[in-house]
Amino acid sequence: MSAPKLQPVQHLADYRPWPFLLSQTRLDLTLAGRGTIVRAALDLAMRDPDAPEDLILDGGAGLQLRALTIDGQAPDPAHVTRTDERLTIAAAALPRAPFILETEVAIDPEANTAFEGLYLSGGIFCTQCEAEGFRHITFYPDRPDVMTVFHVTLRSDLPVLLSNGNPVRTDAGVAEWHDPWPKPAYLFALVAGDLVAVSDRFTTRSGREVALNVWVRPGDQDRAGFAMESLVASMRWDEDVYGREYDLDVFNIVAVDDFNMGAMENKGLNIFNSKLVLASPDTATDTDYERIEAVIAHEYFHNWTGNRITCRDWFQLCLKEGLTVYRDQQFTSDLRSAAVKRIEDVQTMRARQFREDQGPLAHPPRPDRYEEINNFYTATVYEKGAEVIGMLKLLVGDEAYARALDLYFTRHDGDAATIEDWLTVFQDATGRDLTQFKRWYTDAGTPVLEMVEDWQDGTLTLSFAQSTPPTPGQPDKPARVIPIAVGLIGPDGDEVAPTRVLEMTEARESFTFSGLGARPVVSALRGFSAPVMLKRLMDDATRAFLLAHDTDPFARWEAGRELALSALIHGDPAASAYIDAIGALAADESADPAFRALCLTLPGEEEIATRMAAEGSTPDPDAIHATRGDLARRIALAHQDLLSRLYDEMTVPGAYSPDAASAARRSLRIATLGLLARIDGGERAEILFGVASNMTERMAALAVLVRLDRAGSALKVLEAEFADNRLVMDKWFAIQVMAAPPAQAVAVARDLAARRDFDWKNPNRFRALLGGLAGNHAGFHAADGSGYDFTADWLMRMDAANPQIAARMSTAFETWPRYDAARGARARAALERIAALEGLSRNTREMVSRMIAAGR
């Protein structure tokens, strides 16, 4: 096999508008597994007839060109050039007046294991066109700034034929769809198969009646109801909070088993990974329910922030994704606990995005170059993009934010916009100069914010210094705007100064608080007001004080987290202080059970390793695992009676409900279970697994039993009950590797990979096993390198079938340079083995080469 052609690096500075205008796209698809025929008619015109240019269309090597005409006539073959990625028609063959380009191609959906473009999944035809999948369906200007209306005809004997927009005609074997809203090709979608719908209706505030359908395979209808409830709640919330109304007569969601991402916001036809649609109490956990609710909302909210207003080019990806993530975070906060949601978002940010910023894959939310765009669907684009929106809202205020969003929707409806357009809207709506704020979009890395306190004669001075470590391609970075939310707490535990947002704009800056009767304790970075790493001198007694008295939930949790990290890294006396403080918090009945559960959960092993590396020490994965287990055991011994009482009290009576209050109680019960298992040998977990009426508690109990190496019978029970349920079996695969004793993790993974039901070409199953091993910190980083070798073997195999999945899963190696020399040598060898693979995709090659370079 020959090596793939390397795509030239794409640069933001090279952007220029497409030299043609496209007013309408008409598609006619005759669907067949091995030979789908796609006929496309594009209504085109030269942007400048006096300066004609060649017509260049994207089109992958899998397109078999059967016919090509311009205004009904075949062009001179000498004017047509075809490569593996492009179709070029010379300007000499093009009319100066508007013209119609028609093509007919044949494609092979059944052979499409990359799940990009049109593919066949278990008898269902399905598309995934973001970012550059449409070029695998037909020849087209596959770029987000080319927006046009689509008219689609589908031909097949399958019973359900869906596409974007509104249905025009449905007859035996044929269906026509028209989408009146201009859209780029990445938002095109079709689904055809044997499906059934769970249906409802929604009346918009202007009176439009919208038909709602969640399409699933026959037999899955009883697990689609919560997805429908979530869709209705999303539509209502977007009207109430953002004033955004749905704009078509129908909204369809389809659940498919083989999908590279979580879901896709195609206009009027959202396609979802089935794990983010299907849920019932006996198959889905509380986390699954909340995730379904959030992702349904996210994709629906894209109707305005992504579809009606899209991004001009893929460098602007964070414009639609960051804003939409922020909106779905608001939605979940309103429906559930805002405090708990904020803490969970920060945990995700630190676990995924901070790690990204500190490694070889660091990049700004808006990069200025890329080789493979699919590699930039990252935590930086999504999660950090959302944090930037949150900071902007904090700086301008709620009312100004609402005015700016209304102006954005009015000014840019139907546009392919840029970050500059977005910031200009805020400048026009608020009068603020956002030139410096823009650095959050253009500069990579996590700023380090150092805080020093000075107390004199009733005046507290807080001095801050900001710096951002070098990242690939950006060694030096100027100061950013950093909003620092600060509150002051008196020695008696009462708040003496409510939250005040300090706006830092210089590399070094000081702020004063005067007229104070006694020296207060500073509660800094409340609500995680900026995605920075805060460094301050603080003893364990002060951390314990904040954990007990801080009125800001995030800051209170953060104090406990810092105390726990101090205990895990430095040991006593921090451990003693933490154990005492966490017991007092667990006993605080005025606190939300979900908040108490978060506080009772120790930092993960990856987080501990990250902190150790930041402090200049080399993490030892085995020692971290042992230390964390020992601290959990000490907590359980110290608070055995309290934890036992909470475990019993947090039982949720009656039938299962995924509502926030019930889920909160279960989360605290599960947190106590995990601690008590350190001293009861798993007795409670074994009982709970046998009597639990919901998957949340069964999986929690199973995780404990796997960790204690006594899950044999429970695993057999679950397998016998759910062998035919792919989503439950994904959990079954993942938990065995993720929770396994580290010394057994790789052997367990090998055994599971040898099973007949390890359908590795299914992205969910592959992620379950390989992601489970990556999540077992000490197991993946086994001293003998077996975790690295196992992962590398499977990444190379997956790369040939599905490069996107292989490239994304390769980030398991992202932090390899921070470990000891022996582990580093084995990790490097595994990465170099991947890089040397003949025919390696450019997706995986880009990721692996950047990670290898980090160790030089």
Side-chain angles (χ1 to χ4, degrees), residues 749-772:
R750 286 198 186 104
D751 289 344
L752 289 171
R755 288 174 56 101
R756 292 182 61 184
D757 57 352
F758 178 55
D759 180 8
W760 63 272
K761 290 185 179 180
N762 174 259
N764 288 350
R765 188 59 50 87
F766 188 81
R767 281 186 288 247
L769 184 63
L770 274 295

Side-chain angles (χ1 to χ4, degrees), residues 463-477:
S463 297
F464 296 92
Q466 62 163 296
S467 61
T468 304
T471 54
Q474 292 186 328
D476 301 309
K477 304 178 185 72

Side-chain angles (χ1 to χ4, degrees), residues 16 19-20 45-54 91 94-98:
R16 62 188 293 260
F20 293 84
M46 291 184 177
R47 194 177 287 271
D48 184 358
D50 294 328
E53 297 189 38
D54 294 350
L94 302 175
R96 300 301 180 262

Side-chain angles (χ1 to χ4, degrees), residues 108-125:
D108 189 351
E110 192 171 319
N112 184 357
T113 61
F115 305 142
E116 189 178 19
L118 176 65
Y119 61 93
L120 195 59
S121 167
I124 297 175
F125 286 93

Side-chain angles (χ1 to χ4, degrees), residues 504-537:
M504 185 181 185
T505 58
E506 305 294 334
R508 295 181 177 274
E509 205 161 349
S510 297
F511 304 87
T512 60
F513 296 79
S514 303
L516 301 170
R519 179 167 186 163
V521 175
V522 180
S523 169
L525 207 66
R526 285 184 158 183
F528 197 59
S529 56
V532 302
M533 296 180 67
L534 178 65
K535 290 187 175 181
R536 58 185 294 197
L537 291 175

Side-chain angles (χ1 to χ4, degrees), residues 629-825:
D630 181 65
L631 182 57
R633 184 184 61 82
R634 291 178 62 183
I635 294 170
L637 286 170
H639 303 298
Q640 182 174 357
D641 292 343
L642 169 62
L643 295 172
S644 298
R645 176 171 60 80
L646 287 173
Y647 178 77
D648 293 334
E649 288 179 352
M650 290 299 119
T651 302
V652 182
Y656 173 88
S657 170
D659 68 274
S662 299
R665 292 175 64 87
R666 279 189 293 271
S667 69
L668 181 52
R669 189 172 197 233
I670 288 167
T672 62
L673 175 72
L675 291 169
L676 289 167
R678 301 283 179 173
I679 58 175
D680 73 0
E683 180 182 344
R684 288 179 179 81
E686 201 161 67
I687 295 171
L688 180 60
F689 182 84
V691 302
S693 61
N694 61 81
M695 185 56 74
T696 302
E697 292 181 327
R698 292 185 84 183
M699 288 304 299
L702 183 60
V704 168
L705 295 173
V706 170
R707 174 168 55 79
L708 296 174
D709 197 18
R710 55 180 293 183
S713 60
L715 288 167
K716 290 178 181 177
V717 167
L718 204 67
E719 181 184 9
E721 189 174 348
F722 293 105
D724 294 331
N725 186 304
R726 291 180 75 167
L727 300 182
V728 174
M729 289 303 291
D730 287 340
K731 296 180 176 68
W732 186 88
F733 270 82
I735 201 71
Q736 293 182 69
V737 190
M738 186 177 295
Q744 302 175 22
V746 176
V748 170
R750 286 198 186 104
D751 289 344
L752 289 171
R755 288 174 56 101
R756 292 182 61 184
D757 57 352
F758 178 55
D759 180 8
W760 63 272
K761 290 185 179 180
N762 174 259
N764 288 350
R765 188 59 50 87
F766 188 81
R767 281 186 288 247
L769 184 63
L770 274 295
L773 179 58
N776 188 320
H777 182 255
F780 176 71
H781 293 289
D784 63 359
S786 56
Y788 306 143
D789 290 339
F790 178 86
T791 301
D793 289 343
W794 277 103
L795 290 178
M796 290 189 289
R797 187 172 182 181
M798 176 56 84
D799 184 74
N802 192 325
Q804 282 190 32
I805 296 300
R808 287 171 186 161
M809 296 303 294
S810 73
T811 58
F813 287 95
E814 190 173 6
T815 60
W816 73 270
R818 73 185 181 194
Y819 295 95
D820 60 84
R823 282 184 171 88

